[in-house]
Amino acid sequence: MVQRDLVIIGGGAGGLVVASVASQLGLKVTLVEKEGRLGGDCLHHGCVPSKTLISSSRTLSLMRRGNDFGLPDLDPTVDLGKVMDHVQDVINRIQQHDDPVRFQGYGCEVIFGAARFIDKHSIQVNDQVIYGKRFVLATGSRPLIPDIPGLADCDFLTNLNIFSLRELPKRLVVLGGGPIGIEMAQAFNRFGSKVSIIECRKNLLPLEDQDVSRELKDILVTDGIDVHTSALAEYIEHENGEHTVLCDTGAAFKADKILVAVGRKPNTDELNLKVIDVETDHAGKLVVDDRLRTTQKHIYACGDVCGPFPFTHMAEYEAGIVISNAVFRFPKRTD
């Protein structure tokens, strides 16, 4: 059995920050990542590809508005495959900084495989059992898939596969008016898709101030996006490769592709938390105190898996709190 000072499960933003600092301080650290690469959702399916795609769509929008700047208007044809190649190039450049060799150079052991607890101080990864004095759970989250009749019968998109598209959909229906849905709606509208947004709550970006949400809606509508709030998708019909999203308002939306962006679900299912009495809330998030300790005080958490906000900068902030408590043993609380 391998014995480590600190075992980190999850190689995304939060886990990498903790692994980097702890290993360079001389602790015996093992970093476990389920996927065969480091970087997590932010690098491969979130911040990096989305902001790159947004940048390309903004450039296209400015080209079409050249006359506003004393330049000729341009309206180039969009090859989505080339745009996505550019997105992947940016991911690949940043991936170099998350190379396992870099972390191994710090003295951090990196293992790829799914981890599950077998007792309060031991996990199993592949065929290996690892003992840890302390643990950090940074397993992130994944798209929440709503139980809408007919959704499973179509090749729907999420943030996990939308950046693999090679052809621009003529009509895109976005389920969800949160950050992911809004970003992709605006980008694909600028590329040339006819975009409709369906949000069940009263406002887009419902966690933001209402005046911001109203202003945003006006901007998107002016740009040609159909925005429908207080509307719930109830059923999806399919015919000859065409999808029709039916809402409780009686509205119907035709789509070639459907993007599901209604929320996130924490990745806690495979950790076997019941065997170690680590609590989760009704949504599956880890229950933590203000020092980011779970109900087992030697097990910490950071990032999407415990919340409260599913953003990279939040994960990095929480990683700093974990480092203070789990590595330096200096009590520090979240603000």
Side-chain angles (χ1 to χ4, degrees):
M1 178 186 295
V2 178
Q3 298 191 16
R4 313 298 285 176
D5 297 319
L6 187 66
V7 177
I8 303 161
I9 304 177
L16 292 179
V17 170
V18 178
S20 174
V21 174
S23 55
Q24 290 184 79
L25 288 172
L27 274 70
K28 295 180 179 179
V29 179
T30 291
L31 173 63
V32 181
E33 169 54 47
K34 180 180 177 181
E35 304 296 331
R37 57 193 180 184
L38 300 179
D41 213 53
C42 175
L43 176 57
H44 300 288
H45 309 297
C47 321
V48 172
S50 68
K51 274 53 185 182
T52 305
L53 194 74
I54 288 169
S55 179
S56 294
S57 72
R58 179 187 296 140
T59 300
L60 180 61
S61 176
L62 290 172
M63 294 170 71
R64 290 174 174 150
R65 294 173 47 220
N67 190 57
D68 293 349
F69 307 97
L71 301 169
D73 290 340
L74 300 174
D75 192 13
T77 301
V78 175
D79 183 337
L80 190 65
K82 289 185 177 180
V83 173
M84 293 305 182
D85 287 342
H86 169 61
V87 170
Q88 189 59 52
D89 286 344
V90 174
I91 292 172
N92 291 341
R93 290 202 298 271
I94 298 176
Q95 177 72 72
Q96 299 174 24
H97 300 286
D98 290 339
D99 192 311
V101 175
R102 174 189 170 202
F103 289 86
Q104 290 165 351
Y106 297 152
C108 178
E109 178 186 41
V110 179
I111 300 176
F112 292 108
R116 60 187 298 273
F117 281 94
I118 54 179
D119 61 47
K120 293 179 181 179
H121 280 279
S122 302
I123 60 170
Q124 182 170 355
V125 185
N126 304 322
D127 296 326
Q128 186 176 2
V129 174
I130 302 169
Y131 172 89
K133 293 180 181 177
R134 295 181 293 279
F135 290 84
V136 178
L137 305 183
T139 49
S141 64
R142 63 187 184 275
L144 175 66
I145 308 302
D147 186 18
I148 301 174
L151 179 62
D153 299 324
C154 67
D155 187 20
F156 63 87
L157 301 168
T158 68
N159 71 297
L160 297 179
N161 59 1
I162 193 169
F163 302 109
S164 299
L165 278 181
R166 305 297 298 178
E167 295 184 5
L168 187 69
K170 292 182 179 180
R171 298 163 298 179
L172 176 68
V173 169
V174 179
L175 303 182
I180 296 174
I182 295 299
E183 288 181 344
M184 294 300 98
Q186 187 184 56
F188 275 81
N189 174 69
R190 286 174 166 177
F191 288 139
S193 296
K194 177 58 180 175
V195 178
S196 300
I197 301 172
I198 302 173
E199 167 57 49
C200 65
R201 285 167 286 191
K202 181 180 178 181
N203 294 308
L204 300 176
L205 300 183
L207 297 181
E208 306 301 328
D209 293 340
Q210 290 190 17
D211 54 346
V212 172
S213 299
R214 287 193 293 266
E215 182 72 14
L216 174 62
K217 181 178 179 179
D218 291 343
I219 291 171
L220 296 177
V221 170
T222 300
D223 285 348
I225 298 176
D226 290 332
V227 179
H228 297 266
T229 53
S230 300
L232 182 66
E234 287 191 321
Y235 189 79
I236 300 175
E237 296 179 343
H238 315 279
E239 185 175 359
N240 299 324
E242 180 183 80
H243 314 299
T244 304
V245 181
L246 306 172
C247 294
D248 61 350
T249 59
F253 303 91
K254 301 288 186 180
D256 301 297
K257 287 290 185 180
I258 297 172
L259 171 63
V260 177
V262 299
R264 308 289 296 175
K265 184 176 182 180
N267 294 324
T268 55
D269 312 60
E270 299 179 355
L271 293 174
N272 198 26
L273 297 178
K274 290 183 179 180
V275 76
I276 58 171
D277 296 323
V278 167
E279 292 184 14
T280 58
D281 65 13
H282 67 281
K285 287 184 180 180
L286 293 169
V287 175
V288 294
D289 62 16
D290 56 7
R291 289 171 59 183
L292 297 180
R293 298 176 299 183
T294 68
T295 44
Q296 294 293 335
K297 301 307 181 186
H298 67 290
I299 301 177
Y300 297 78
C302 64
D304 289 14
V305 75
C306 63
F309 307 116
F311 300 115
T312 295
H313 51 277
M314 188 69 187
E316 293 174 343
Y317 164 74
E318 291 182 336
I321 301 295
V322 169
I323 289 168
S324 181
N325 288 295
V327 177
F328 291 107
R329 314 297 287 169
F330 180 80
K332 186 174 182 180
R333 291 174 166 80
T334 54
D335 182 344

